[in-house]
Amino acid sequence: MRSTQRAAKGDTMTRVVALLTAGFLATTAAEAHHGFGNFAMDEDIELTGVVTNLDFVNPHSWLSFDVTSANGEKLPYRCELRSATTLRRSGWTPEMFAAGTRITIQGSPDRSEPRACYVSTLVFADGTTLDRYGQRIPPKPTTERAARVPSGEPNIFGDWAAEQLVMTDPKGRDGTLVPLSTAATFEPGAVPEGQREIPGARGTQEAAAGIDAFARPRPPPRGAVGLTDAGTAAMAALAEIPRAERSCMAGSILSDWGGEGVNRIKRGADTITLEYGRLGLERTVYMGRATHPTDIAPSHAGHSIGRWENDVLIVDTIGFLPGSLTGTTPHSTQLHVVERFSLDGGTMVLKREYTAEDPQFFTAAYTGSNTSEPSIVPYSPEPCRDLTPVVR
């Protein structure tokens, strides 16, 4: 492991489990978007061909192209890129890969699908090269956003995104994930102290042994918060869902706000709308109401009421369908979430702090926070289709 850093730088339970399974959270970012799966990362491959199609989707985009063999036969290949969301946030567009574009791909082969690969570097016909984590646009907006709206409240409205995570190796072969703003401070493939290389990365034991790090037998699930017996049973059921089925399943109002998506906050006359970049979830926060109605129809987003208190937007949400809070940690219909949104007017960093309580499934409150910055690209939920080869 390298750490080089530049100096400059029951029946009821059956119904609950069934609902949980139907609404289960996609696999975590490290698994769905940054695992190496069945790619042989210790091996190199170079292919030159002509683009036939681009599936610009989450959790991974796939570039299809034809390679002409020595005897003149056209052989179809497809190679994996990052998610559509991260590509768009890096300035990549589908237009770059129009059908008929001649391209050379340097990467690593798939162990089981002979005509699939992992893209490390692209070389275009004019000689231009672009590494997997290459950035084609500035990381931050060039125009300033006002810190307050005319009515005086903090200007939390607009498009927001958490800082992008990239690998310390721009080619995406080895190393680990770090915030984009710090990536240039690391030698290619370096691993910051306290972290480890992503399982399956070049030079890891998983790569040498030919192990799909995420297809191995899984250890017993661990909850993100203490669980009751009922919560533990629900978690065990969720943990049995194959990872390949999780990628495009909805998460919770807490988990889906973070990650790599671009979210939007809109202001209405007496409401605030939260639009999630991941799968397009939309929440309405009813402002100025002291209590929730008594006849709430349970939903994935729940029912939210909000108020401003000392420049902090406080959002109280109940009325959920059972689902996953985060990862394999479940929640029941008794979930109660309180969020606090605050804006640093100097840095324009939006902070969200949250507390989740669930007397049926949790033995203690689940708490946390995350931050977002003004997004360089607009809100636009990308389609989700997991096209990863199935390893049999």
Side-chain angles (χ1 to χ4, degrees):
M1 179 186 297
R2 287 168 290 166
S3 58
T4 305
Q5 187 171 11
R6 296 173 186 160
K9 326 257 186 158
D11 289 341
T12 299
M13 272 306 303
T14 299
R15 289 196 297 271
V16 168
V17 168
L19 286 166
L20 281 165
T21 301
F24 184 57
L25 170 67
T27 187
T28 62
E31 294 175 347
H33 310 303
H34 303 293
F36 292 103
N38 200 46
F39 295 114
M41 296 306 298
D42 280 347
E43 300 178 25
D44 293 319
I45 189 172
E46 181 167 309
L47 301 163
T48 297
V50 176
V51 174
T52 57
N53 184 61
L54 173 67
D55 288 295
F56 201 68
V57 297
N58 294 335
H60 291 282
S61 296
W62 286 84
L63 182 64
S64 298
F65 56 102
D66 285 341
V67 175
T68 302
S69 67
N71 62 7
E73 181 184 6
K74 285 187 177 180
L75 305 175
Y77 279 79
R78 67 188 194 105
C79 293
E80 185 227 66
L81 300 164
R82 291 190 293 152
S83 71
T85 299
T86 53
L87 292 178
R88 191 166 63 89
R89 292 183 60 188
S90 301
W92 298 40
T93 66
E95 291 71 25
M96 295 166 55
F97 305 99
T101 300
R102 189 165 181 80
I103 199 164
T104 295
I105 291 177
Q106 299 168 355
S108 297
D110 189 277
R111 293 190 180 92
S112 59
E113 186 173 327
R115 294 180 188 166
C117 78
Y118 173 98
V119 174
S120 293
T121 300
L122 298 165
V123 183
F124 294 89
D126 63 359
T128 302
T129 64
L130 188 61
D131 287 334
R132 185 179 182 90
Y133 285 88
Q135 304 294 312
R136 302 182 68 243
I137 55 176
K140 295 181 182 294
T142 55
T143 57
E144 293 187 2
R145 182 183 297 189
R148 291 184 181 273
V149 295
S151 55
E153 293 90 352
N155 187 10
I156 66 170
F157 308 104
D159 296 339
W160 301 89
E163 183 173 7
Q164 191 181 154
L165 297 178
V166 300
M167 286 189 67
T168 50
D169 175 13
K171 297 180 184 296
R173 297 171 303 186
D174 59 353
T176 192
L177 294 167
V178 296
L180 176 58
S181 62
T182 69
T185 69
F186 294 96
E187 297 289 348
V191 179
E193 188 172 352
Q195 294 183 237
R196 67 151 292 184
E197 288 190 283
I198 298 176
R202 179 164 296 197
T204 61
Q205 293 180 344
E206 293 86 357
I211 297 172
D212 180 344
F214 301 120
R216 294 177 299 176
R218 288 170 284 174
R222 297 174 58 188
V225 65
L227 297 175
T228 63
D229 289 345
T232 300
M235 179 176 65
L238 294 181
E240 290 304 311
I241 300 176
R243 283 188 172 90
E245 297 178 18
R246 302 181 193 175
S247 299
C248 297
M249 293 182 181
S252 71
I253 64 169
L254 296 186
S255 62
D256 279 5
W257 184 261
E260 58 196 24
V262 177
N263 305 312
R264 174 171 287 176
I265 303 179
K266 297 193 304 186
R267 185 183 192 186
D270 53 5
T271 61
I272 290 176
T273 302
L274 306 178
E275 297 178 341
Y276 287 57
R278 185 178 189 278
L279 300 183
L281 173 68
E282 184 172 312
R283 298 170 58 193
T284 299
V285 180
Y286 297 93
M287 300 297 293
R289 298 189 185 183
T291 59
H292 295 277
T294 57
D295 58 346
I296 298 172
S299 66
H300 177 62
H303 183 276
S304 299
I305 57 176
R307 70 183 189 277
W308 286 102
E309 187 176 291
N310 298 324
D311 284 345
V312 176
L313 174 64
I314 301 175
V315 180
D316 187 286
T317 307
I318 61 172
F320 292 97
L321 289 170
S324 166
L325 184 76
T326 179
T328 54
T329 300
H331 71 77
S332 75
T333 58
Q334 296 183 35
L335 178 66
H336 178 199
V337 175
V338 176
E339 300 159 284
R340 301 172 62 89
F341 293 84
S342 58
L343 179 68
D344 185 322
T347 62
M348 293 304 290
V349 171
L350 178 66
K351 184 176 184 180
R352 182 183 68 148
E353 301 169 280
Y354 49 82
T355 299
E357 298 178 314
D358 186 336
Q360 183 177 357
F361 279 4
F362 302 169
T363 59
Y366 174 78
T367 61
S369 65
N370 50 41
T371 58
S372 303
E373 302 173 347
S375 176
I376 190 69
V377 297
Y379 168 82
S380 177
E382 265 78 31
C384 190
R385 284 200 320 276
D386 195 339
L387 303 174
T388 305
V390 177
V391 179
R392 291 181 173 85

